Amino acid sequence: MSSHEQSYRAGEAKAHAQEKTGRAMDTVKDKAQAARDKASEASDATKERGRETKEQTGSYAQAAKDKASQMAESGRETAAAGKDKTGGFLQKTGEQVKGMAQGAADAVKHTFGMAEEDDEDVVLKKRDETNY
């Protein structure tokens, strides 16, 4: 084989090697781009799921806040109604105690002869009306 032929074959081999290397590089570049695209899509999907979760959490938090507000209002209304009932009951009880104390005072006066004529009628009347 002549040196010219060896040189020709070496050049041909070099060209084949360069073409193979170029194709391999193109394949690697394509695979790298595909991997980048896939990673970007996954990242976008994760961000979207994060936004959706945040929105759902916000909705749940608002619903819980609204329910707590409703329960607080209901508690205030119940407390106000109880206060009204209690106030009426205490007033009635206070008047009864006051009447009983006055009746007892009048009875003591009558017992010791300190009652006036009008007081005696009131004592007897109150004794009949009041259950001691």
Side-chain angles (χ1 to χ4, degrees):
M1 206 191 290
S2 73
S3 112
H4 179 65
E5 199 177 314
Q6 283 179 341
S7 208
Y8 175 76
R9 285 190 181 163
E12 216 176 48
K14 182 179 177 184
H16 283 317
Q18 285 177 342
E19 189 168 329
K20 273 186 161 183
T21 303
R23 276 190 263 146
M25 288 298 287
D26 288 343
T27 302
V28 170
K29 285 179 185 177
D30 290 343
K31 287 183 180 182
Q33 185 61 44
R36 273 186 251 143
D37 292 345
K38 190 172 183 178
S40 178
E41 289 172 7
S43 174
D44 291 344
T46 301
K47 286 178 185 176
E48 182 60 29
R49 279 193 297 266
R51 272 189 229 108
E52 290 172 1
T53 301
K54 183 179 178 183
E55 289 172 5
Q56 286 177 345
T57 302
S59 297
Y60 294 142
Q62 185 61 40
K65 185 177 176 182
D66 292 345
K67 186 67 174 176
S69 178
Q70 290 172 355
M71 293 177 72
E73 181 61 29
S74 175
R76 282 191 288 274
E77 290 171 0
T78 302
K83 182 180 176 183
D84 293 343
K85 282 183 178 180
T86 303
F89 173 76
L90 291 176
Q91 183 177 1
K92 183 179 176 183
T93 304
E95 289 172 2
Q96 288 176 343
V97 169
K98 182 179 173 184
M100 291 172 74
Q102 185 62 45
D106 291 343
V108 169
K109 285 182 187 178
H110 180 64
T111 300
F112 289 110
M114 299 169 56
E116 299 177 7
E117 283 292 321
D118 292 337
D119 288 344
E120 288 182 27
D121 294 335
V122 171
V123 170
L124 295 176
K125 183 178 177 185
K126 283 192 179 188
R127 195 178 330 169
D128 293 337
E129 291 176 359
T130 308
N131 295 328
Y132 292 105

